[in-house]
Amino acid sequence: METYRSAFLQSLENPEDFWREQARSIDWFKFPETVLSRDDRGNHCWFADGEMNTAYLALDYHIDQGRGDDIALIHDSPVTGTISHFTFSRLRDEVARFAGVLRSLGVHKGDRVVIYLPMIPEAVIGMLACARIGAIHSVVFGGFAAKELAGRIDDAKPRVLLTASCGIEFTTVIPYKPLVDEALAIASHQVENCVIVQRPQCVAELGLADHDWRQVMAGAVPADCVKLAATDPLYILYTSGTTGKPKGVVRDNGGHAVALRYSMEAIYGARSGDTFWAASDVGWVVGHSYIVYGPLLAGCTTILFEGKPVRTPDAGTFWRVLEDHRVNIFFTAPTAFRAIRKEDPEGELLKGRELSDFRTLFVAGERTDLPTYQWLCDLLQVPVVDHWWQTETGWAIAANPMGIDPQKSKAGSVSLPMPGFDVRILSENHQQPGPGEEGDVVVRLPLPPGCLPTVWGDHDRYLDSYLTQHPGFFHTGDGGYFDQDGYLFIMGRTDDVINVAGHRLSTGELEEVVASHPAVAECAVIGIEDRDKGQIPIGILLLKDGVNITKNTLQQEVVAIVRRDIGAFANFKRLVVVSRLPKTRSGKILRQAMRKIADGMNFEIPATIDDPAILDEIRDELISDKIGFISESKI
Ligand code: COA
Ligand code: AMP
């Protein structure tokens, strides 16, 4: 039997042999002779002369193997009270027809299509239809406000936009059409056509450039899979960086398919025919990799869940889905379990459920706190695997390889680097500290297949964001350490990215929005620890001279602006007004210093701060009961 250790060592010592072998697990149109090479920008790339099609591998391939009548996708939607099943054949036929619709709207290989949809089958169909004809999709999370959608439209410059008449949050119907219209009005790029899924909960009025999904599908001519180079882009997924402008992470076709196929077996232990459920959103990388592509590439049934872990209808929803669909492998963010545990601490709602098919639980997206980890282990009696990755990598950098050689787990750790990822800890001056000592978590180049080759339209930003801090290494933005047994511990971001309920946000972006309030002279946004959401953003504001506004009004107005310009999911609810912000002599706000105060760490005032009394004031505000740890104290 292959051991984790031998696979890991081979992947680093002889990456070409290792990944050539893994590449055999997918059905190429042309098997790549070149495994690892460099493109004309000097970038590493995988399988450069291979030809394939990701949608073919996800659907047609399984039908060719005689699995057309097996279930590929289950849409389980407690918010609409419906459950629907799609066989591989039905899903392929719908994807092929929708690919024909895109063709008829002038979408060709390399064109972009923005997808702004709730968790409905059309989101998966739209993604795979793009993949079928070589168009590049860019899915935008449905919780993003119009302005955020507009920014992504301007960057990706799509020919077509796919949306729905509404999304449903618990019992609230959220009309999408006004948001989309506003985004299109803000954006300077002109989108030629919009295709809209009309939902019965709220029917949208269509404009001249709008098409009703059902109507265009009725007359569609199915389109075949096109042959693509492995290095052709499959999608762009925007993620928060340190500045206000999100980064368009690009994913290629070939490396992505090989890496996901490998991860499904080696990490998740998934076999063809298994049922795999990732309770996330198609708008995030987890949704791309493990709701849509990974499970389908591996011939599994995937579940698209349109609901929440609580109140849809109660905190037993997850257990109901696990039982009803005989889920084998389940993956979600720890924040979801914190929400369940809060409502059902004793796990009463799990009792009596028949979960004998359930093998392993995987969590990722943020740190798992020890009480939640322990609660899950005790309650579920299956292995609970915390694993660490990010939008940039597309699959797990560190995990427990449950499919090849399960290792003992260690609470608080994300286990071991996965084959292909040569993870190191480096100090600021590029030294490797010893076991237990924290530093930047980096990955020695080349990154394995599946990881981003560039940032859409801005290769310099790719180099600046990831490759310049430690030459020869990819900078993950996370801090952490290895223990003496080689287990990795991730301690959190070292940059201005925060993680709110498993949602990645940039404090820089929040600051731009908060500073747009007319009373605000300057502001800093930092993430503070929160019992339920992991982290929560808090604004520290300096007001303009002579402004006359009460703190309550200010708070309500700033909160409303953030909800309007970014989205409610940012959970921006509290702010602190101060008389000065701590700055360096050159005028840079000392966010890290404030973050340390907020973390309640033992903080020594740096000599560069001009007025230490300000820090005391902020410290008092931040850690006093008035602000406290604030998840209950909504305004
Ligand atoms: N569309 C519109 N609004 C949305 C939204 C969406 N897709 N998602 C969240 N919101 C809104 C919520 O309705 C809520 O609004 P409110 O302030 O008016 O009540 C607000 O944003 C806060 O949302 P959130 O913090 O997400 O809380 P929640 O109760 O809606 O959901 C979880 C809790 C745990 C289910 C959710 O945060 C979650 O699924 N997190 C995991 C994210 C993830 O999958 N990350 C990937 C790593 S696995
Ligand atoms: P995203 O790109 O949205 O998937 O967010 C990636 C970031 O989430 C990482 O850089 C980490 O900061 C954090 N993260 C993801 N998984 C974990 C984990 N298992 N433990 C700790 N942090 C995590």
Side-chain angles (χ1 to χ4, degrees):
M1 186 188 154
E2 187 186 19
T3 64
Y4 156 72
R5 196 75 209 143
S6 65
F8 180 68
L9 288 178
Q10 201 212 349
S11 75
L12 301 192
E13 284 163 8
N14 206 336
E16 295 197 56
D17 284 353
F18 182 83
W19 288 110
R20 184 182 297 106
E21 207 42 47
Q22 305 313 327
R24 295 191 203 289
S25 67
I26 69 165
D27 191 21
W28 297 82
F29 297 152
K30 176 177 176 283
F31 191 82
E33 274 168 32
T34 308
V35 175
L36 178 62
S37 55
R38 288 196 190 247
D39 63 16
D40 43 18
R41 291 190 285 217
N43 247 9
H44 290 106
C45 52
W46 292 96
F47 314 119
D49 60 346
E51 287 175 356
M52 40 78 72
N53 181 290
T54 302
Y56 166 82
L57 296 172
L59 300 171
D60 304 63
Y61 169 76
H62 303 300
I63 298 166
D64 293 349
Q65 301 295 305
R67 299 202 47 226
D69 293 335
D70 292 354
I71 301 297
L73 173 77
I74 301 172
H75 178 229
D76 186 309
S77 170
V79 296
T80 57
T82 59
I83 296 179
S84 36
H85 293 78
F86 292 73
T87 60
F88 280 98
S89 292
R90 177 178 168 197
L91 190 58
R92 192 271 313 268
D93 291 349
E94 297 218 15
V95 166
R97 292 224 320 278
F98 195 69
V101 169
L102 291 175
R103 276 263 171 80
S104 71
L105 296 175
V107 177
H108 297 289
K109 183 182 160 196
D111 287 339
R112 273 80 59 213
V113 173
V114 161
I115 302 180
Y116 183 70
L117 280 167
M119 292 286 283
I120 56 177
E122 287 82 353
V124 180
I125 294 168
M127 291 165 78
L128 290 165
C130 290
R132 197 167 176 89
I133 57 170
I136 304 166
H137 61 71
S138 184
V139 183
V140 179
F141 171 57
F144 273 120
K147 204 162 162 239
E148 291 287 323
L149 176 59
R152 285 156 175 80
I153 289 173
D154 274 339
D155 199 73
K157 301 192 174 31
R159 205 170 264 273
V160 170
L161 186 144
L162 313 181
T163 189
S165 55
C166 64
I168 302 160
E169 279 292 295
F170 300 103
T171 51
T172 309
V173 172
I174 301 180
Y176 273 24
K177 188 67 172 48
L179 287 168
V180 169
D181 287 345
E182 193 188 337
L184 293 173
I186 300 170
S188 29
H189 171 76
Q190 296 292 309
V191 178
E192 291 162 23
N193 291 286
C194 292
V195 183
I196 295 161
V197 182
Q198 292 281 24
R199 306 190 80 190
Q201 295 76 9
C202 153
V203 176
E205 210 172 290
L206 304 191
L208 284 178
D210 298 331
H211 308 269
D212 180 317
W213 180 292
R214 258 172 229 105
Q215 279 175 12
V216 285
M217 278 291 262
V221 180
D224 262 346
C225 294
V226 301
K227 229 181 237 178
L228 296 172
T231 49
D232 282 335
L234 170 67
Y235 68 76
I236 307 165
L237 179 57
Y238 288 89
T239 191
S240 300
T242 43
T243 66
K245 190 172 182 280
K247 288 184 279 213
V249 166
V250 174
R251 191 85 57 215
D252 68 10
N253 272 277
H256 175 248
V258 172
L260 288 194
R261 189 78 183 69
Y262 177 69
S263 72
M264 285 297 292
E265 251 174 70
I267 298 175
Y268 300 100
R271 302 182 283 262
S272 175
D274 276 348
T275 299
F276 191 99
W277 178 26
S280 177
D281 190 286
V282 284
W284 307 119
V285 70
V286 176
H288 281 62
S289 294
Y290 296 110
I291 296 176
V292 183
Y293 290 111
L296 294 178
L297 287 167
C300 297
T301 301
T302 186
I303 296 179
L304 182 72
F305 173 72
E306 189 184 15
K308 300 274 172 160
V310 295
R311 293 195 283 134
T312 55
D314 57 27
T317 307
F318 273 13
W319 318 137
R320 194 269 303 159
V321 175
L322 290 177
E323 181 183 50
D324 278 5
H325 306 304
R326 309 186 68 155
V327 172
N328 303 109
I329 298 151
F330 181 34
F331 174 0
T332 194
T335 189
F337 290 117
R338 288 198 293 268
I340 294 174
R341 185 175 169 220
K342 200 169 160 193
E343 298 211 359
D344 181 22
E346 303 304 323
E348 293 297 331
L349 296 165
L350 179 70
K351 291 190 180 141
R353 293 278 178 204
E354 212 286 285
L355 301 185
S356 56
D357 294 296
F358 180 29
R359 296 201 295 267
T360 320
L361 171 68
F362 288 84
V363 287
E366 53 170 347
R367 281 190 78 185
T368 307
D369 55 291
L370 290 181
T372 303
Y373 176 79
Q374 206 47 58
W375 183 77
L376 286 166
C377 293
D378 295 344
L379 192 69
L380 296 172
Q381 299 291 315
V382 296
V384 178
V385 178
D386 186 2
H387 62 325
W388 166 68
W389 51 298
Q390 46 186 212
T391 307
E392 288 82 347
T393 61
W395 63 290
I397 310 168
N400 195 332
M402 298 304 284
I404 46 174
D405 182 14
Q407 305 289 299
K408 78 175 162 67
S409 58
K410 273 196 193 190
S413 160
V414 293
S415 297
L416 302 158
M418 285 300 89
F421 288 101
D422 187 355
V423 179
R424 308 282 177 95
I425 307 295
L426 293 182
S427 66
E428 237 170 69
N429 52 3
H430 319 303
Q431 303 301 307
Q432 290 198 45
E437 285 176 58
E438 254 183 85
D440 291 340
V441 189
V442 299
V443 185
R444 198 164 70 92
L445 298 174
L447 291 172
C451 301
L452 84 170
T454 189
V455 167
W456 180 255
D458 196 350
H459 194 65
D460 286 347
R461 189 164 183 207
Y462 165 75
L463 299 174
D464 285 353
S465 307
Y466 303 112
L467 302 188
T468 49
Q469 295 85 343
H470 297 288
F473 295 88
F474 172 83
H475 186 77
T476 66
D478 280 299
Y481 65 91
F482 279 113
D483 71 3
Q484 65 288 358
D485 301 323
Y487 277 64
L488 182 63
F489 289 73
I490 296 295
M491 305 309 289
R493 300 287 305 198
T494 54
D495 54 11
D496 294 328
V497 168
I498 57 172
N499 197 313
V500 181
H503 303 129
R504 179 166 159 178
L505 284 159
S506 138
T507 53
E509 200 170 358
L510 283 159
E511 281 167 9
E512 272 180 27
V513 173
V514 171
S516 70
H517 187 283
V520 177
E522 270 188 303
C523 75
V525 172
I526 57 172
I528 65 165
E529 210 177 301
D530 180 79
R531 205 175 33 221
D532 301 330
K533 309 272 177 193
Q535 274 185 304
I536 268 206
I538 184 161
I540 303 166
L541 276 60
L542 189 71
L543 299 189
K544 287 179 184 157
D545 284 344
V547 160
N548 189 9
I549 188 167
T550 65
K551 185 171 168 199
N552 271 352
T553 308
L554 178 71
Q555 183 150 297
Q556 277 166 18
E557 289 180 3
V558 174
V559 167
I561 292 177
V562 174
R563 288 174 74 94
R564 185 197 68 196
D565 285 355
I566 294 186
F569 75 95
N571 278 290
F572 184 90
K573 288 173 183 150
R574 297 307 300 243
L575 50 86
V576 183
V577 177
V578 293
S579 49
R580 283 174 79 182
L581 284 166
K583 287 187 182 172
T584 60
R585 286 198 201 290
S586 63
K588 242 179 116 186
I589 297 174
L590 281 162
R591 289 186 181 75
Q592 222 174 7
M594 288 189 280
R595 219 162 46 200
K596 280 191 177 155
I597 298 168
D599 284 348
M601 287 172 69
N602 212 352
F603 175 67
E604 281 174 33
I605 298 162
T608 43
I609 291 181
D610 52 7
D611 185 356
I614 298 306
L615 285 174
D616 290 332
E617 192 178 331
I618 295 169
R619 180 198 285 121
D620 289 344
E621 283 274 18
L622 283 174
I623 61 177
S624 74
D625 285 338
K626 268 185 288 172
I627 301 297
F629 287 124
I630 53 175
S631 66
E632 280 108 14
S633 50
K634 268 196 196 181
I635 38 170

